[in-house]
Amino acid sequence: MNDAASQSPIEVVPRDLSVYRNGNTGIDYVHRFDSGSPGPAVLAVALTHGNEFCGMTALSWLLDHDVRPKRGALTLAFANVAAYERFDPGRPFESRFVDRDLNRAWTDAIMADDTKSIEARRARELRPVVDAADALIDLHSTAFPCASMLVLGDLEKSRRLATALREPLTHIISPAGKHQGGLLFEYGRFGRENDDAVAIAVECGQHFARRSGEVAIQAALRFLRHFDVIDRAFAERHLEPPTDGEPTTYRITEVVTVKGEGARFARPLVGFEEFAKGELIGFDGVAEVRAPYDRCAAIMPRAVIVPGREMVSLGRRL
């Protein structure tokens, strides 16, 4: 494991979410509030990965503050509580999922064919909620302490949303099909340019940092304010002042997958280190991984490198 990950302090530990289990949708840990007035159906998702606590912090905050929509509908979903409940502070990176990555399970084929994994079953449970959403924010965090990111599909509607939200000021364009399986923000209507439904993910900071939860609350409030589904005065009372500067945008060009045992990075990575063309980034277990172009950025390197899983994304700064 990269030392930067193993040395990250655990400032946030799981809270008991059982109080939120029985929502009003018939689906565990899913709460839906309908204003009764016309407007978009907005969905906020937390704990797509069980050890990413920032989303749990944000959704708990919204529920504890009795945030309700003034128009349209607001749904709050804790996604992979089964993995979350397995968190062990002695092995904090092992509760990302139980059987398979829930954020790689969002294809019709996986949900139809995988009849065994907890995550595919949960995706099937959540699918009606996701299908009904006009706008979705998926709250995540990163293994290493690096810049928080707004992650979007390579679609014009997604770029418009990112421009409107603006923060976090690091934007990652993730073209469809680069990652294993299917990402939640690519699923169904969200991945079609000719459909108004739009989704983003926000990487709010290091998994166990207290600040990541604060960033997640800010991201959720900006998202809900943008779609005008909650009281604007309430949102603005709790929003921090805008961050100075303009967004920096990266486009993912390649996702490196671990091909064998012994895969490793050539040096410890945290994220956004840039490499010259041809410079050694690491070894995928079979071959060297070298930068395909100048200023090639290492985006979201994994703390735990496992054969068959993703190792790092490579991106070009635009």
Side-chain angles (χ1 to χ4, degrees), residues 1 256-267 280-289 302-309 311:
M1 181 183 293
V256 178
T257 301
V258 181
K259 295 183 175 63
E261 298 292 341
R264 65 191 186 280
F265 294 111
R267 56 186 170 92
L280 182 65
I281 298 172
F283 306 87
D284 66 10
V286 172
E288 294 179 343
V289 178
R302 300 299 188 266
V304 180
I305 299 175
V306 178
R309 297 184 192 167
M311 181 175 177

Side-chain angles (χ1 to χ4, degrees), residues 103 136-140 149-153 168 172 183 185 199-203:
N103 203 32
L136 178 148
I137 181 170
D138 191 13
L139 296 164
H140 288 262
M149 299 163 253
L150 196 160
V151 188
L152 57 144
I172 309 295
L183 278 62
F185 73 70
I200 58 163
V202 181
E203 301 282 351

